[in-house]
Amino acid sequence: MIGFLFLFDWALRGAVLALISEAAIRLLRIRDVSTRSAMSVAVLVATLSLPVCTLLIPAAFHTTATPVAASYAPAAASSGYSAWTLALGVYCIVAIVFLLRSVVGVYFTYRVTRRAVALDIPGVYACDSVTVPVAVGLLKPAILLPACWREWTEATLIAVLAHEQSHIVRHDTRIQFLSSLHRAILWFSPVSWWLDARIARLAEDASDDRALSVADPVSYAETLLHFVQQAPRRVLWSGVSMARTLKAERRIDRILSGHLPSRGLRPAALAAIILIALPITYLAAATREDAPPPPAAPPAEAPQAPPAPARAPRAPMARPAKPSPVPPPPPPAIADEELLERTGGELAGAIAGGIVGGIDGGVAGGVLAGIPGDSRVFDTAIRSLEQQVERLTQMIESLRIQQELLNIVPDREFPPPPAAARKMEQLERELHRLRAPLPPAPPARLP
């Protein structure tokens, strides 16, 4: 899992560098193939150096990482042979195949070079194993010519040597070997394939421009077409062949288009490319992703209680006899606060009774004053007044008893509320008024 994330990050940073280079070429409208080739080589070198620069350069910029790896890591670790393991196996197989292809090419190139015959020209060899001119070699580059080179015209030989010597001067054999390694490691990235093809194409264009500086475009195009027809479809050596069959028509059209040939990479352009590539590479290597937060641990499940044992079936019970009625319990003892609340309620009842009694007395007085001629009505009114007097007397006596009960509580004295005291005084005055002697009854009137 970590290896895949490292490879994806590496490929992504290289893609960003390639995008910046292509944007600069388009914005600045750079048409010189040597300058464009140097910029592509700078992208290749910067991409290959990113892992080493990341280890050596301290982190200067931080970005927030998504917790994808943290969420997938426990699942990948617990699943054994998971999809990540299968993907890693596929990646390793493909990468090893491409790496072996590059290594085998270097080995066959070494064997072919050993069988080649050196010519009078330094660094040029004749070999029966090749059919087209090719530049080979990593440590000691050389030019291999086919055995039929003696049949060529002098102009053809000069153009061919100029083309191949341009590859050696520009170190195209070493650069394309590094590009093949980059493509083998990051084979899953389309940018690696695009960059490899771009470097090879620009190298051929720059070498064609060098050959056009010493040869006629039409004759050179005919020579190139002849080599393309004789070139094998597949080769085992590692080198830069003059007759690449891939997009040969484009090369011939470019040669015959009459464009201005490149004069090579200028020192000022090389210095500008290096000065711009260094800080961009530093930014790409110094940018780090913060470690994603660890995934939250799942809540611990509470231990489940063991299941309750099955209850045995109960035997049928006899229906109990109907119990005899129990006498009600005695009233509970009344606390001081509860007694005070009840006393207040009784006082309120007494006040209400006094008001009712007053109303009754007023009604009786009105009856007494309004019906003076009937002695029976007068007697009834007298009895009603006597009943009111008795009721008021009982209320006053009840209030006095309750006040005495409140004062019985030890170490505590409950004075009557002011309102209750005033009502008691009113009731006593009313009782005194009612006990006053009544006027004599008027004589009965005859109808």
Side-chain angles (χ1 to χ4, degrees):
M1 179 66 186
I2 298 177
F4 272 111
L5 292 179
F6 170 76
L7 291 174
F8 290 152
D9 181 75
W10 186 6
L12 180 60
R13 293 172 191 262
V16 171
L17 294 178
L19 181 62
I20 294 174
S21 174
E22 185 66 19
I25 290 175
R26 294 182 179 275
L27 292 176
L28 300 178
R29 297 180 179 181
I30 300 175
R31 299 185 180 275
D32 186 76
V33 292
S34 298
T35 305
R36 298 173 67 179
S37 177
M39 295 179 66
S40 300
V41 172
V43 172
L44 174 64
V45 174
T47 304
L48 291 175
S49 63
L50 278 177
V52 179
C53 294
T54 304
L55 296 177
L56 299 179
I57 298 176
F61 306 95
H62 297 270
T63 58
T64 303
T66 57
V68 176
S71 60
Y72 285 163
S78 61
S79 60
Y81 292 98
S82 61
W84 291 107
T85 306
L86 179 61
L88 180 61
V90 173
Y91 165 79
C92 292
I93 292 174
V94 177
I96 290 173
V97 168
F98 284 122
L99 290 175
L100 286 178
R101 182 180 178 183
S102 300
V103 173
V104 170
V106 173
Y107 173 72
F108 275 96
T109 301
Y110 173 73
R111 292 188 59 182
V112 169
T113 306
R114 289 188 62 182
R115 293 197 303 263
V117 179
L119 301 180
D120 296 337
I121 305 173
V124 180
Y125 298 84
C127 181
D128 298 336
S129 301
V130 298
T131 58
V132 294
V134 58
V136 296
L138 297 177
L139 300 178
K140 189 179 179 180
I143 300 174
L144 298 181
L145 299 179
C148 60
W149 69 274
R150 297 182 185 276
E151 302 175 1
W152 299 343
T153 62
E154 184 179 357
T156 302
L157 180 61
I158 292 175
V160 168
L161 292 179
H163 181 97
E164 299 302 332
Q165 285 178 354
S166 174
H167 283 307
I168 294 176
V169 171
R170 293 164 45 85
H171 306 281
D172 288 338
T173 56
R174 300 184 177 96
I175 292 173
Q176 292 190 22
F177 178 75
L178 292 177
S179 179
S180 66
L181 295 181
H182 172 254
R183 184 189 61 186
I185 297 174
L186 301 179
W187 60 265
F188 56 87
S189 174
V191 178
S192 64
W193 294 83
W194 171 83
L195 186 61
D196 180 74
R198 182 184 180 86
I199 289 175
R201 178 175 58 84
L202 292 176
E204 292 297 335
D205 291 344
S207 297
D208 288 340
D209 289 350
R210 179 69 181 89
L212 289 175
S213 64
V214 296
D216 180 63
V218 177
S219 60
Y220 181 71
E222 292 177 353
T223 302
L224 182 60
L225 181 60
H226 174 71
F227 288 152
V228 169
Q229 292 175 354
Q230 292 184 351
R233 296 298 176 182
R234 293 183 180 180
V235 294
L236 295 178
W237 59 74
S238 175
V240 183
S241 175
M242 179 179 177
R244 286 179 177 266
T245 57
L246 184 63
K247 296 184 179 180
E249 296 83 359
R250 186 197 63 82
R251 289 178 60 187
I252 295 175
D253 292 340
R254 181 177 178 274
I255 292 170
L256 298 177
S257 64
H259 71 283
L260 183 63
S262 174
R263 297 181 179 180
L265 183 62
R266 298 180 180 180
L270 179 61
I273 291 173
I274 295 175
L275 292 178
I276 295 174
L278 288 178
I280 294 177
T281 306
Y282 171 79
L283 292 177
T287 304
R288 301 286 196 279
E289 288 185 354
D290 295 333
E301 297 182 357
Q304 298 181 356
R311 296 182 178 180
R314 295 182 179 180
M317 300 177 63
R319 188 173 181 179
K322 187 175 181 180
S324 58
V326 181
I334 301 176
D336 297 344
E337 289 79 5
E338 186 177 359
L339 181 61
L340 183 60
E341 292 177 1
R342 291 188 178 183
T343 303
E346 293 175 358
L347 289 175
I351 293 170
I355 295 173
V356 173
I359 294 174
D360 293 340
V363 172
V367 172
L368 181 63
I371 313 177
D374 193 352
S375 59
R376 291 175 298 180
V377 175
F378 184 78
D379 295 337
T380 303
I382 291 299
R383 286 194 298 272
S384 176
L385 289 177
E386 290 178 353
Q387 292 176 358
Q388 294 293 333
V389 169
E390 292 180 359
R391 187 161 54 246
L392 288 176
T393 303
Q394 293 176 359
M395 288 182 181
I396 293 173
E397 188 66 23
S398 175
L399 289 175
R400 288 177 179 175
I401 293 173
Q402 292 176 3
Q403 180 64 28
E404 292 178 358
L405 290 175
L406 290 176
N407 293 332
I408 290 175
V409 179
D411 299 333
R412 188 168 181 181
E413 184 176 355
F414 296 91
R422 289 195 298 270
K423 291 299 179 181
M424 289 179 64
E425 293 177 0
Q426 293 177 4
L427 291 174
E428 290 179 353
R429 287 196 297 271
E430 185 68 20
L431 180 61
H432 180 71
R433 186 180 65 81
L434 292 174
R435 287 178 176 177
L438 296 174
R445 294 180 183 180
L446 296 177

